Amino acid sequence: MSRPILILGAASDMARAVARSFAAEGHPIQLAARNVSRLAEDASDLRTRFGVEVTVHEFDALATDSHKAFVEALPTLPAVAVCAVGTMGTQSESEADPLAAAQVMRANFEGPASILAHLANAMEARGAGTLVGISSVAGDRGRASNYVYGSAKAGFTAFLSGLRNRLANKGVHVVTVLPGFVNTAMLDGIDTPAPLTAEPEEVGAAIVKAVKRNTNVIYTRPIWRLVMAVIRNIPEPVFKKTSI
């Protein structure tokens, strides 16, 4: 039997789709999230639909002092770990309350970076593995509408880049995922352009493909690469006048 795939933050719509994509390939699945009882239905569905072994694990991304023990307690060090942890928060709340902003930053950078650091060390010692971090195009340039969330994702993207560079000759690969808009609960009430909005299943399929090919950075829909190249290159005096 092949080594399992670990899904961190497994209770989100996107994480569920990623788990289904790997299970469809016949991989055992480890689901990890807070309040692990929430994962029972997903685990049962994966077993029934794909006939794979599924285990569930209590995991709190913000309890960083528990992350080393979490990795050591896994029944098997996974072949691939996918970090889908994150929360968008509300920009207006983050602006008004620095503590709320800090929570957004911790959930999107500190927690994900901490758990991947521990998994990286374990995979490096083994000499094999793949780490997948789901970051965001919001980290490509700070924008007035979501710069707290975007700054945390920018930090996470830089962390993944550095980790990939560090582990390049250690048998461990790191994939950075920049999904763009994804039709999940996170976008409830937000109107997004259809050509730029992917379904969660597209993200899952793209990640499986990227892991197989050892791709470094993926945008779920390729058009996002062009969109963000344009946004990154808008001169600052012009950018300040926009409401992108």
Side-chain angles (χ1 to χ4, degrees):
M1 183 173 63
S2 61
R3 286 184 177 273
I5 311 298
L6 171 64
I7 311 294
L8 298 157
S12 73
D13 295 337
M14 200 183 309
R16 289 188 179 98
V18 175
R20 288 194 295 270
S21 294
F22 278 107
E25 299 270 323
H27 294 283
I29 303 294
Q30 297 171 335
L31 300 176
R34 284 183 301 172
N35 304 322
V36 72
S37 60
R38 294 183 299 161
L39 302 175
E41 187 174 339
D42 295 317
S44 178
D45 178 67
L46 291 170
R47 294 186 190 106
T48 301
R49 212 192 299 194
F50 303 106
V52 298
E53 180 182 342
V54 183
T55 57
V56 297
H57 307 273
E58 186 71 33
F59 169 69
D60 186 344
L62 298 185
T64 53
D65 57 353
S66 71
H67 289 178
K68 186 174 187 291
F70 169 84
V71 173
E72 292 173 347
L74 288 171
T76 307
L77 185 64
V80 179
V82 181
C83 184
V85 172
T87 181
M88 184 173 287
T90 304
Q91 176 64 27
S92 58
E93 184 180 1
S94 293
E95 292 174 13
D97 182 357
L99 292 179
Q103 283 296 98
V104 171
M105 294 178 188
R106 292 194 68 214
N108 290 289
F109 176 58
E110 182 186 350
S114 171
I115 186 61
L116 290 188
H118 286 291
L119 285 162
N121 291 342
M123 288 182 176
E124 181 181 13
R126 184 178 63 189
T130 299
L131 297 167
V132 179
I134 299 180
S135 190
S136 172
V137 297
D140 280 12
R141 187 168 191 178
R143 295 178 293 125
S145 59
N146 69 349
Y147 64 83
V148 173
Y149 171 78
S151 64
K153 287 298 191 182
F156 189 45
T157 297
F159 175 85
L160 294 168
S161 176
L163 192 62
R164 180 166 45 247
N165 186 244
R166 169 194 146 193
L167 298 172
N169 298 315
K170 305 291 185 180
V172 182
H173 184 60
V174 179
V175 180
T176 303
V177 182
L178 304 170
F181 298 135
V182 183
N183 187 20
T184 65
M186 189 178 281
L187 285 185
D188 282 350
I190 301 175
D191 189 22
T192 58
L196 297 179
T197 307
E199 294 300 321
E201 290 73 19
E202 292 180 63
V203 180
I207 289 175
V208 170
K209 184 177 178 181
V211 169
K212 287 181 177 177
R213 296 185 175 184
N214 280 347
T215 307
N216 295 318
V217 180
I218 60 167
Y219 292 80
T220 303
R221 291 198 170 182
I223 190 174
W224 273 106
R225 191 178 295 276
L226 174 62
V227 170
M228 295 316 300
V230 171
I231 290 176
R232 283 194 304 271
N233 285 286
I234 296 174
E236 198 67 22
V238 176
F239 195 66
K240 287 192 293 186
K241 298 176 182 177
T242 70
S243 57
I244 295 175

